[in-house]
Amino acid sequence: MSPKAAATIAPDVAVIGGGPAGATAARLLAEWGYDVILLCRPAGTVTSLAESVPPSTRKVLAAVGALELVERAGFLPTRGNTSWWGGEEARVEGFLGGAHGWQVLRADLDALLLRAAGGSGVRVERETRVRRVSLEDSEGPELEVEREGVGAVTFRARHVLDASGRAGVLARRGFRREGGPRTLALCAVWRRAGGFDVPDESHTLVESFAFGWAFSVPVAPDVRHVAVMLDPPPRSSRPRDVRGLYERGLKNARRMGALLADAELVTPPWALDATGYTASAFAGEGFTLVGDAGSFLDPLSSFGVKKALASGWLAAVAAHTALRDSSRAALAAEFFSRREAQVQARYAHETALHAARAAAGHTGSAFWTARASAPHPGAGDDDALASEEAVRLAFAALKTRPVLRLRLATGVRIAPAPRVRGREIAMAEALLAPDGRAIHFVSGVEAATLARLAPGIAEVGQLCEAYERAAPGVETAVLLHGLSTLLAAGLLGDDSGSGRPAADAPR
């Protein structure tokens, strides 16, 4: 950033942080016509760790236009996971349908996405420290940045995205909310000539023990990153010997330790804070907290990269909405905040379930008892309205109905609620559950449309025909799965009673 260029900086959007969340949001906004500057911290401030990217991330990568980039990058494909959890024997699990994900070195993935951002017109400023962000001025956020050899530069943007991860340049200004037990990650890189003795060389390995857990991610057949997750030692007795603490952890992770017995330690162990956190608000007037700046998933989830990409996409949509139509800025901020909180709640819930399994297998473990009993919300996501078993039973019941007498369940109503429509957040009709959830789609079916039609129609076939006229293009099987899901979730009531099977119900 030259002094001359700095003097004329007045971007539409300033993005702080060049990880997957920041690079994705910046690239999308630039492709949508905005002037975007992306501020990256100096290289080498954090040692890069390998991460697993599961096959389910493909859908997000495709949505943000990065799938082909990742497929061509040459990352090591991964076919699944091998775990020793809660004292159980090894579980070797491949991904469903033979799908594969990738094992990536985060530095390499970040560089790939940053290059894509630059190629889309983003002004990528490297080796830059953001010293201050002010949101107080009505003219827009003000940033003070510094780069070696240039000095401090102050400029304004119409909107600022904080994607600075745990550093939380803006998030730490009263938005961050710490929670749950503190966790220390101790990491190192290992090499073994000829590869490691594992069931599948592409697998992520996970092992629990009484006072922590370990995981190993390969970046090549003969190179693995191995991390040990522990309670941090008390501040008064915290050892300076990171290596000693790391070796103690590996000694208790018996299978992981045995795997490394004749391997070469390539790097000295380094320590990272892996404590989870969230935010009181993820967005507001002129700002958005994106990815790990807003909330941090326990590494046990293995969905860190997926969550960052999804957060970057939604942040771009929310910022675009606010910049294009100021009357919807508050709506966009509230929608983004609620969705990010839902995602955090869902993964926190799943992590607590894993911890409970480990606690059951490591009786008396303070480490796992604390994590299994830590406060966590429920799943909090519209994708989990009802179990597949409950949906199957509801569908089976539908087939027995000679006449349908469906109704909205008590406390359920149809009303406008915000949703993503293309590149914007806008109001659209939704089914509102008693707990406040707004359900726009269920199993690919428009929930409000189906719920409005159902009470006035007496036969399954007639209901399918009416929905096809209102919202063409949905297959009958998909529609019936959506209807069964609404029934299983208790959002539609059924007063039909039992009787002979409906003549037009699919069998």
Side-chain angles (χ1 to χ4, degrees):
M1 186 189 302
S2 69
K4 181 178 179 180
T8 60
I9 291 177
D12 295 313
V13 182
V15 180
I16 307 169
T24 295
R27 179 175 57 79
L28 290 173
L29 286 166
E31 290 175 352
W32 298 345
Y34 293 98
D35 180 16
V36 183
I37 186 169
L38 195 158
L39 307 166
C40 301
R41 63 187 169 186
T45 53
V46 176
T47 306
S48 184
L49 184 64
E51 294 189 41
S52 186
V53 179
S56 60
T57 311
R58 287 176 173 273
K59 184 176 179 180
V60 182
L61 285 166
V64 302
L67 179 58
E68 189 176 346
L69 287 173
V70 172
E71 287 181 326
R72 295 200 316 255
F75 295 125
L76 180 71
T78 175
R79 294 178 288 272
N81 305 295
T82 297
S83 64
W84 300 268
W85 200 253
E88 299 171 353
E89 292 302 311
R91 293 181 62 178
V92 182
E93 299 177 313
F95 294 127
L96 290 176
H100 76 80
W102 299 274
Q103 310 287 26
V104 304
L105 188 64
R106 266 295 302 277
D108 293 341
L109 178 64
D110 291 359
L112 177 72
L113 297 176
L114 275 176
R115 286 195 298 272
S120 295
V122 176
R123 288 186 283 170
V124 179
E125 293 289 345
R126 303 176 187 275
E127 306 294 321
T128 302
R129 297 183 185 275
V130 179
R131 297 299 188 188
R132 179 179 60 85
V133 180
S134 173
L135 301 173
E136 281 70 37
D137 200 307
S138 60
E139 296 181 17
E142 182 179 79
L143 296 90
E144 181 183 329
V145 304
E146 185 174 347
R147 189 177 183 190
E148 289 186 22
V150 177
V153 174
T154 301
F155 64 93
R156 292 189 186 279
R158 295 173 63 195
H159 199 97
V160 60
L161 303 183
D162 180 5
S164 61
R166 187 173 290 273
V169 171
L170 183 56
R172 289 184 181 274
R173 290 193 50 193
F175 299 108
R176 181 156 296 176
R177 296 291 180 267
E178 304 286 350
R182 300 199 63 79
T183 304
L184 181 67
L186 301 161
C187 320
V189 181
W190 294 79
R191 177 182 289 111
R192 184 177 186 274
F196 293 84
D197 184 17
V198 292
D200 189 309
E201 65 182 15
S202 78
H203 277 202
T204 298
L205 311 177
V206 186
E207 178 182 1
S208 69
F209 50 94
F211 63 91
W213 63 283
F215 71 89
S216 172
V217 176
V219 292
D222 62 340
V223 178
R224 280 184 168 269
H225 288 226
V226 181
V228 178
M229 319 298 286
L230 308 169
D231 283 325
R235 292 185 182 277
S236 59
S237 62
R238 187 162 293 177
R240 296 181 180 179
D241 182 12
V242 172
R243 181 163 184 163
L245 195 58
Y246 180 72
E247 290 175 348
R248 177 171 170 252
L250 282 182
K251 192 173 295 184
N252 284 271
R254 294 184 297 107
R255 297 166 182 87
M256 205 77 72
L259 182 71
L260 303 173
D262 57 350
E264 171 195 1
L265 183 64
V266 178
T267 67
W270 70 91
L272 297 170
D273 186 356
T275 304
Y277 53 80
T278 186
S280 58
F282 293 83
E285 186 175 353
F287 79 93
T288 310
L289 309 182
V290 194
D292 285 356
S295 64
F296 182 77
L297 301 182
D298 189 301
L300 190 53
S301 74
S302 80
F303 284 102
V305 171
K306 179 181 178 180
K307 179 235 185 194
L309 292 167
S311 181
W313 165 75
L314 190 57
V317 170
H320 171 60
T321 302
L323 291 168
R324 182 175 181 182
D325 181 359
S326 60
S327 70
R328 282 187 284 150
L331 175 73
E334 192 277 334
F335 181 86
F336 179 84
S337 285
R338 186 174 68 252
R339 187 59 62 87
E340 290 290 284
Q342 285 178 337
V343 170
Q344 175 68 9
R346 184 182 69 189
Y347 285 121
H349 177 72
E350 292 178 0
T351 296
L353 294 178
H354 287 303
R357 276 182 54 215
H362 302 293
T363 306
S365 164
F367 180 94
W368 290 114
T369 299
R371 285 156 177 78
S373 59
H376 57 276
D381 192 49
D382 296 346
D383 294 337
L385 290 174
S387 69
E388 280 301 315
E389 176 63 14
V391 173
R392 186 188 67 77
L393 292 174
F395 177 67
L398 267 181
K399 292 166 62 177
T400 70
R401 303 303 192 227
V403 176
L404 296 179
R405 294 188 182 90
L406 304 180
R407 56 175 171 78
L408 286 180
T410 302
V412 178
R413 58 195 177 93
I414 297 171
R419 58 165 278 205
V420 176
R421 302 185 76 167
R423 299 175 181 175
E424 299 181 24
I425 295 168
M427 298 297 289
E429 200 174 60
L431 195 61
L432 300 187
D435 62 4
R437 282 179 298 172
I439 302 157
H440 289 280
F441 293 93
V442 56
S443 303
V445 176
E446 293 182 7
T449 300
L450 182 56
R452 174 177 284 108
L453 293 170
I457 297 177
E459 295 183 350
V460 172
Q462 291 176 354
L463 179 56
C464 292
E465 291 172 3
Y467 185 90
E468 173 64 22
R469 290 193 296 272
V474 176
E475 296 180 2
T476 299
V478 174
L479 176 63
L480 292 174
H481 189 275
L483 179 61
S484 301
T485 301
L486 293 180
L487 287 164
L491 297 170
L492 283 180
D494 184 2
D495 298 329
S496 307
S498 59
R500 62 181 176 78
D504 57 350
R507 288 173 168 77

